[in-house]
Amino acid sequence: MNQLRIALPLLSGITCFVMSTTSLAAETQGVSFSHNDWELACDNTRTCRAAGYNADGDDMAVSVLLTRQAGPSQAVIATLKIGEYGDNEALQKLPSKFKVSMRINQQVLGTLNIDKSNLETRLNQQQTDVLITALHQDSEIVWSIGKTSWKLSDKGAAAVLLKMDEFQKRLNSIGALYKKGPLNEDKVAPAIATPIVHAAPVLANKPDDTKLLKIKALQAALLASIKEDDCSDITEKRFKEDSLSINRLSSHSVLISTTCWMAAYNQGVAYWVVDDKAPYSAELLTTDASDYADGKISFAQKGRGLGDCWSSGTWTWDGKKFVPTSASTSGMCKLIAPGGAWDLPTLVTEVRKAGH
């Protein structure tokens, strides 16, 4: 099993550490892409999500998510999200439910109902179609109520729409979002079924498992797998006293962990799968995880201290190995919402517990 740490490109401040999907539908892996104020995330089922945002420096934050499943004749679902992070006097003055008018290049396209409980609403089909066309070139895209308005940036949208068409193999087809052509959609890439991962039963520790943590040969095996400077909390090639934790995985292997590094607003935990007998073969899984529970290693890392953008993922123990089971980000660091604007996965699976 390869180490499961792979650095993806920066998405407006987020470095996404996600997992190799070679064990799951190897012929189709998710992709992520960003350009200016737009980004794309397509997962391993070939569903794509494109998110656009307001330009940097705008007082009123806003985002639009375009979601499209793979396969012929799939409609685009467009969702508008009004930004709310911290105090915004103009937004606070609005009632709990309100309507915004939509205008693109001075063309009025009706209204949308907004509930302040989630500040999200879906565009209708006409609004969606006009929006996508407008994103092909410089356009003014605005939602407003009275003197309050939210402006969506078009910068980067064309490149993102083209990338979505390319991933779903719609280029030059009648259903393409950016470069339409004469081809019908009977040869576009079909959707792929969500992979199923069978989680192994979670085992209790054996009475003497904690004694393994004191064995020098085992500790040496752990240390030998760490590259220099990977773990700032492990100094002089030594573990801090009582810093190691252990969980039983199988009759012959255990999961060992320790805090690996700490930064201003994130920390990383290292996890190893280790044989419980000499020579204590140790396999480092990651140095960037956050937690382990019920057979699942997870990570969640802030893109910046404000907490308006995150990357996250999981690995699940199937009885033989840890399998990547999810990977996503919450979108660009644009102050749309605490925790981020959206869920933009590049890896999705269905995890079934033993016996199901």
Side-chain angles (χ1 to χ4, degrees):
M1 183 173 18
N2 294 325
Q3 186 174 333
L4 303 178
R5 182 185 182 190
I6 297 176
L8 291 185
L10 286 171
L11 298 184
S12 187
I14 301 178
T15 301
C16 309
F17 291 102
V18 301
M19 294 73 75
S20 168
T21 58
T22 52
S23 59
L24 296 172
E27 74 280 3
T28 301
Q29 297 185 18
V31 300
S32 60
F33 172 78
S34 65
H35 187 55
N36 293 328
D37 297 316
W38 278 77
E39 65 183 326
L40 176 70
C42 297
D43 65 37
N44 52 305
T45 71
R46 292 202 180 106
T47 295
C48 288
R49 297 166 179 86
Y53 305 86
N54 55 280
D56 289 340
D58 286 356
D59 291 333
M60 304 300 289
V62 69
S63 183
V64 166
L65 181 69
L66 305 177
T67 303
R68 193 180 204 185
Q69 294 183 338
S73 305
Q74 291 294 330
V76 177
I77 297 172
T79 306
L80 171 72
K81 187 173 184 69
I82 300 296
E84 183 182 32
Y85 186 100
D87 296 330
N88 187 308
E89 187 176 345
L91 185 59
Q92 290 173 351
K93 288 180 178 179
L94 296 175
S96 59
K97 296 183 180 181
F98 59 95
K99 290 185 177 183
V100 293
S101 63
M102 181 174 177
R103 188 176 70 254
I104 297 180
N105 297 328
Q106 306 307 314
Q107 178 186 358
V108 177
L109 294 164
T111 61
L112 295 94
N113 296 316
I114 305 286
D115 191 321
K116 286 179 74 174
S117 64
N118 64 4
L119 293 172
E120 285 186 24
T121 190
R122 279 178 57 170
L123 279 61
N124 63 33
Q125 193 61 59
Q126 181 201 12
Q127 292 166 339
T128 301
D129 292 343
V130 175
L131 172 63
I132 292 171
T133 300
L135 292 173
H136 291 191
Q137 63 271 322
D138 290 343
S139 298
E140 184 181 57
I141 304 165
V142 178
W143 293 268
S144 62
I145 175 172
K147 295 182 179 180
T148 302
S149 61
W150 296 264
K151 184 176 180 180
L152 181 71
S153 172
D154 56 35
K155 299 297 186 293
V160 164
L161 295 179
L162 183 63
K163 192 74 172 178
M164 182 190 288
D165 286 340
E166 180 184 45
F167 183 82
Q168 294 187 330
K169 302 190 186 303
R170 300 183 193 274
L171 293 175
N172 299 312
S173 74
I174 58 175
L177 298 182
Y178 185 71
K179 259 190 177 178
K180 290 186 181 294
L183 303 176
N184 62 38
E185 286 202 298
D186 59 356
K187 293 184 179 180
V188 304
I192 296 175
T194 303
I196 296 171
V197 175
H198 295 278
V202 177
L203 304 182
N205 280 3
K206 294 180 180 180
D208 292 337
D209 275 351
T210 55
K211 294 181 180 179
L212 291 169
L213 302 178
K214 302 295 183 181
I215 298 174
K216 297 301 182 183
L218 185 146
Q219 292 188 15
L222 303 181
L223 292 170
S225 68
I226 300 174
K227 295 180 180 179
E228 191 172 354
D229 298 328
D230 266 359
C231 291
S232 57
D233 271 24
I234 301 172
T235 59
E236 299 178 1
K237 282 293 182 178
R238 289 201 303 261
F239 293 104
K240 294 178 180 178
E241 186 71 19
D242 299 324
S243 65
L244 295 173
S245 299
I246 190 167
N247 293 91
R248 174 62 56 174
L249 293 175
S250 70
S251 61
H252 60 274
S253 60
V254 292
L255 182 70
I256 294 180
S257 62
T258 189
T259 301
C260 184
W261 55 266
M262 297 190 70
Y265 43 83
N266 287 319
Q267 74 169 12
V269 180
Y271 284 92
W272 295 263
V273 175
V274 184
D275 291 344
D276 62 3
K277 292 180 175 57
Y280 305 109
S281 174
E283 184 172 19
L284 177 64
L285 301 178
T286 181
T287 58
D288 301 301
S290 304
D291 192 27
Y292 170 79
D294 299 326
K296 184 181 294 185
I297 298 171
S298 61
F299 81 89
Q301 305 284 1
K302 290 182 182 180
R304 60 181 180 176
L306 294 171
D308 61 335
C309 47
W310 290 74
S311 56
S312 60
T314 57
W315 301 270
T316 300
W317 179 251
D318 70 357
K320 295 181 179 179
K321 61 186 180 300
F322 276 96
V323 179
T325 43
S326 70
S328 67
T329 77
S330 65
M332 288 186 181
C333 308
K334 288 281 194 174
L335 295 177
I336 303 296
W342 309 108
D343 179 27
L344 304 178
T346 51
L347 172 63
V348 296
T349 64
E350 179 185 346
V351 178
R352 294 183 182 176
K353 294 184 178 181
H356 291 78

